């Protein structure tokens, strides 16, 4: 099938290239000309190793990128894979996706055949329907007649995006029967090996939030138990290994540490928490999930401060800036509040990351960056290890150090 994918971020590019791999022809549309040129030249603009291989295989063949919305007219179905960031008050910011829906609607005015629009971005229940209204108003198409709307959330982890797409735990297809059947055609190869959840659009929207906020809840819960363990000198990982053996719990996402970051969990938990407020329901669990997560960066700085007897004027090394290993992404990385807190306490920050220095330089211009972690360790009074990069495992750290991710180089925030 011919499909267009609007948005060339992690989700959009992965969706486009994986759909090519599944036998479809994919056109990836993005407003950023640099990204478009780079994709058409076979250069991936993000760090995602398996995706790079797919780009090499499909660019100039079943995959191409463009900034021209009219390319949509060559396709049967469009996926919307645009960012839905948080506003400063935690509410979801729909301006990018609404703008895109408007442009898409205007373009579809020129199409006399039916068209399918599938939202893949994470949006709160009711949003896909609102986007549908924008598209019908702009295109003069009629919902259910020549315009079909669906919601198909993604569950892709950065660094594992291709695997998660190709070997999914589940596929959630939201929409009417005709839309779901269209999606089943596209995902034919995947349907054979996974479980299918066919729902209405709103249910599909909520599944994504319920899924991500439960994972975030597991992490904050593990951190709260981890904080108790630290005080009582108990190994929290030993505790969670045993707890995780209960098949009703599962061990995944019970690794305690400096808290969760990334482009999804913090934003999604905030958005669903705000939705509760909007519905006059008081958020309790999700509020605590965010509270614990906000406190962990302060806690790790407190622990180092105790160890080195004050941070004022101290040289502190930060090992790891990406929100997790295997990515150059620093969005909502817990290293950001940690660095802010270190600076607030007048420490001199010296940072290293194997992939994310370039991105972090856009956030902090006034800290020192080192390319060699060993040199960094030698030059500081103490350090914090925040991302569990494989190469940090062999690092000998003889300075006072607290781990925010378990690597066993030194004692950690919860161990
Ligand atoms: C997440 C979801 O997993 C994915 O399904 C969703 O669609 C997008 O958001 P991602 O943000 O790439 O994916 O990262 P993930 O691997 O889930 O980790 C998120 C954060 O939680 C990271 O900061 C990670 O270090 C932290 N984490 C994870 C923990 O602190 N402890 C754990 O046990 C697991």
């Amino acid at each position: 099938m011919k499909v267009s994918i609007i948005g060339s971020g992690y989700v959009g590019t992965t969706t486009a290239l994986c759909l090519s791999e599944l036998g479809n022809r994919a056109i990836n549309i993005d407003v950023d000309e640099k990204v478009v040129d780079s994709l058409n030249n076979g250069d991936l603009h993000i760090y995602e190793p398996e995706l790079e291989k797919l780009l090499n295989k499909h660019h100039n063949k079943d995959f191409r990128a463009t900034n021209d919305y009219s390319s949509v007219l060559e396709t049967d179905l469009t996926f919307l894979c645009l960012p839905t960031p948080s506003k400063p008050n935690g509410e979801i910011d729909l301006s990018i996706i609404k703008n895109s829906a408007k442009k898409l609607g205007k373009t579809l005015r020129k199409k006399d055949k039916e068209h399918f629009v599938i939202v893949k971005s994470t949006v709160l229940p009711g949003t896909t329907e609102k986007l549908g209204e924008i598209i019908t108003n702009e295109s003069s198409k009629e919902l259910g007649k020549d315009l079909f709307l669906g919601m198909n959330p993604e569950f892709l982890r950065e660094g594992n995006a291709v695997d998660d797409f190709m070997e999914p735990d589940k596929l959630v297809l939201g929409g009417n029967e005709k839309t779901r059947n269209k999606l089943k055609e596209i995902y034919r190869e995947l349907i054979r090996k996974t479980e299918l959840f066919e729902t209405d659009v709103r249910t599909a929207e909520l599944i994504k939030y319920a899924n991500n906020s439960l994972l975030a809840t597991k992490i904050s819960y593990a951190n709260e138990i981890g904080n108790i363990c630290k005080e009582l000198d108990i190994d929290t990982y030993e505790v969670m290994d045993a707890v995780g053996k209960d098949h009703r719990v599962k061990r995944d996402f019970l690794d305690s540490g400096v808290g969760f970051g990334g482009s999804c969990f913090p934003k999604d938990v905030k958005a669903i928490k705000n939705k509760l407020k909007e519905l006059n329901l008081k958020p309790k669990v999700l509020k605590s999930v965010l509270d614990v997560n906000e406190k962990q960066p302060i806690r790790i700085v407190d622990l180092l401060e105790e160890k080195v007897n004050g941070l004022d004027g101290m040289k502190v090394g930060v090992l790891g800036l990406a929100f997790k290993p295997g990515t150059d992404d620093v969005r909502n990385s817990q290293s950001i509040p940690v660095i802010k807190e270190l600076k607030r306490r007048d420490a001199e920050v010296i940072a290293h990351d194997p992939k994310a220095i370039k991105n972090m330089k856009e956030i902090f211009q006034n800290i020192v960056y080192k390319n060699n972690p060993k040199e960094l360790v030698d030059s500081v009074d103490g350090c914090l290890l925040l991302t569990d990069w494989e190469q940090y495992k062999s690092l000998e750290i003889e300075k006072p150090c607290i781990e925010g991710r378990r690597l066993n180089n030194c004692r950690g925030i919860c161990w």
Side-chain angles (χ1 to χ4, degrees):
M1 195 184 299
K2 284 186 171 173
V3 281
S4 41
I5 299 92
I6 304 185
S8 300
Y10 281 93
V11 174
T13 315
T14 305
T15 303
L17 282 162
C18 289
L19 289 178
S20 302
E21 181 72 3
L22 289 174
N24 303 286
R25 301 202 74 166
I27 305 178
N28 198 185
I29 302 173
D30 200 279
V31 284
D32 189 331
E33 275 181 49
K34 269 202 224 140
V35 170
V36 168
D37 288 345
S38 157
L39 284 170
N40 284 331
N41 290 329
D43 292 329
L44 194 62
H45 57 298
I46 47 176
Y47 177 71
E48 190 72 42
E50 291 303 312
L51 200 58
E52 204 154 356
K53 290 183 200 154
L54 288 188
L55 182 61
N56 282 336
K57 186 168 166 194
H58 293 289
H59 90 280
N60 292 332
K61 290 181 196 123
D62 310 320
F63 169 91
R64 74 178 167 88
T66 177
N67 57 11
D68 181 5
Y69 266 64
S70 65
S71 303
V72 157
L73 301 172
E74 299 167 35
T75 66
D76 310 305
L77 181 146
T78 304
F79 281 102
L80 290 179
C81 301
L82 292 141
T84 50
S86 288
K87 291 183 191 167
N89 66 0
E91 265 175 45
I92 180 169
D93 181 353
L94 293 174
S95 53
I96 302 173
I97 197 163
K98 277 186 174 166
N99 252 329
S100 173
K102 210 169 173 177
K103 272 169 93 180
L104 176 63
K106 278 202 175 103
T107 311
L108 287 176
R109 194 177 267 272
K110 295 178 212 128
K111 187 173 180 186
D112 43 21
K113 285 197 222 133
E114 64 182 24
H115 197 81
F116 292 79
V117 178
I118 311 296
V119 176
K120 224 181 219 309
S121 304
T122 302
V123 290
L124 287 164
T127 312
T128 298
E129 283 151 323
K130 276 193 204 136
L131 294 170
E133 275 169 34
I134 298 177
I135 299 168
T136 42
N137 284 343
E138 295 293 334
S139 64
S140 308
K141 287 197 172 299
E142 204 181 311
L143 217 54
K145 193 172 157 234
D146 53 358
L147 183 77
F148 297 89
L149 202 60
M151 166 68 202
N152 168 223
E154 49 77 24
F155 301 94
L156 310 176
R157 286 164 301 166
E158 284 180 27
N160 278 298
V162 173
D163 248 24
D164 286 348
F165 195 102
M166 292 302 194
E167 305 288 333
D169 290 336
K170 60 181 175 255
L171 273 178
V172 178
L173 310 181
N176 69 8
E177 199 182 350
K178 183 163 168 151
T179 312
R180 296 195 312 262
N181 286 341
K182 196 79 176 168
L183 284 167
K184 282 192 224 167
E185 262 180 66
I186 293 182
Y187 289 130
R188 205 173 37 233
E189 295 295 314
L190 301 183
I191 284 169
R192 288 193 203 124
K193 51 183 174 185
T194 193
E195 203 161 329
L196 208 58
F197 290 85
E198 296 190 55
T199 69
D200 58 25
V201 161
R202 284 179 175 221
T203 308
E205 289 171 321
L206 193 64
I207 287 172
K208 171 68 192 242
Y209 280 99
N211 204 129
N212 268 3
S213 53
L214 178 58
L215 292 173
T217 303
K218 283 186 90 175
I219 299 170
S220 277
Y221 165 80
N223 286 337
E224 190 143 283
I225 297 290
N227 292 342
I228 302 174
C229 289
K230 178 81 181 172
E231 295 303 312
L232 301 179
D233 205 17
I234 295 168
D235 183 344
T236 184
Y237 279 69
E238 216 178 309
V239 172
M240 287 309 166
D241 286 346
V243 172
K245 275 291 168 205
D246 188 320
H247 72 277
R248 295 165 301 178
V249 177
K250 269 191 121 187
R251 175 64 179 81
D252 306 59
F253 283 74
L254 289 176
D255 289 340
S256 56
V258 75
F260 56 80
S263 63
C264 291
F265 286 176
K267 152 182 97 72
D268 293 351
V269 181
K270 277 181 202 152
I272 193 79
K273 180 186 144 214
N274 270 327
K275 187 69 187 176
L276 274 153
K277 275 200 208 151
E278 197 187 300
L279 296 169
N280 283 327
L281 299 166
K282 273 211 174 92
K284 294 206 172 79
V285 174
L286 298 178
K287 183 180 174 303
S288 308
V289 169
L290 291 170
D291 282 351
V292 172
N293 204 52
E294 268 164 34
K295 300 236 166 65
Q296 290 306 87
I298 309 295
R299 200 174 142 73
I300 199 168
V301 175
D302 282 345
L303 288 168
L304 184 68
E305 182 158 47
E306 237 170 70
K307 211 166 181 166
V308 298
N309 292 323
L311 289 170
D312 191 350
M314 286 284 179
K315 282 189 178 171
V316 176
V318 172
L319 289 161
L321 301 169
F323 81 96
K324 65 174 189 181
T327 176
D328 62 351
D329 198 346
V330 298
R331 283 177 293 172
N332 286 311
S333 171
Q334 291 292 70
S335 61
I336 299 170
V338 166
I339 293 173
K340 279 191 184 148
E341 188 59 21
L342 288 168
K343 283 163 72 82
R344 201 185 65 78
R345 298 189 196 185
D346 292 319
E348 190 185 325
V349 178
I350 303 164
H352 171 269
D353 190 282
K355 295 279 171 211
I357 290 182
K358 185 167 162 259
N359 285 337
M360 198 51 111
K361 276 187 178 165
E362 285 178 24
I363 300 175
F364 294 110
Q365 292 87 29
N366 297 329
I367 62 171
V368 177
Y369 294 92
K370 282 229 189 275
N371 289 321
N372 183 322
K374 182 71 190 130
E375 257 175 43
L376 177 145
V377 172
D378 289 343
S379 69
V380 296
D381 300 305
C383 57
L384 296 173
L385 198 159
L386 299 184
T387 317
D388 45 341
W389 283 104
E390 202 53 36
Q391 54 261 65
Y392 291 159
K393 264 192 187 156
S394 52
L395 202 59
E396 276 172 36
I397 305 177
E398 277 145 17
K399 301 286 172 64
C401 176
I402 314 279
E403 283 182 356
R405 299 278 170 218
R406 174 87 149 204
L407 265 182
N408 289 329
N409 290 33
C410 41
R411 297 302 293 268
I413 177 169
C414 298
W415 51 94

